[in-house]
Amino acid sequence: MDMPWYERKVTVVIRDAASGRVVYETQAGHDGRWNSTPALWQAMLQAALNGFPVPPSGPRQVDIDLPR
């Protein structure tokens, strides 16, 4: 029996309130057999905001250890 495979992505867009101009935009993703948990979503947000307020140039991998 095949195990399910999950793919998730979180996107963060921060805009200037006065002009609506995007001042920061980033995203993070995770895929694997691990089902959704609040800790997983927190880690994805932590990875997406890693380096804030200076966005990285290009894709990168950010490893976040989660307690099991």
Side-chain angles (χ1 to χ4, degrees), residues 31-53:
D31 64 278
R33 292 191 169 98
W34 193 8
N35 198 355
S36 184
T37 66
L40 176 59
W41 289 102
Q42 291 169 356
M44 288 174 54
L45 283 170
Q46 183 180 350
L49 293 171
N50 183 277
F52 180 84

Side-chain angles (χ1 to χ4, degrees), residues 1-47:
M1 185 169 166
D2 290 333
M3 295 198 55
W5 190 261
Y6 300 96
E7 295 182 19
R8 293 167 194 81
K9 182 168 72 169
V10 62
T11 300
V12 177
V13 178
I14 300 174
R15 297 180 182 274
D16 178 88
S19 68
R21 182 178 62 90
V22 173
V23 294
Y24 188 84
E25 184 172 5
T26 188
Q27 62 184 354
H30 174 269
D31 64 278
R33 292 191 169 98
W34 193 8
N35 198 355
S36 184
T37 66
L40 176 59
W41 289 102
Q42 291 169 356
M44 288 174 54
L45 283 170
Q46 183 180 350

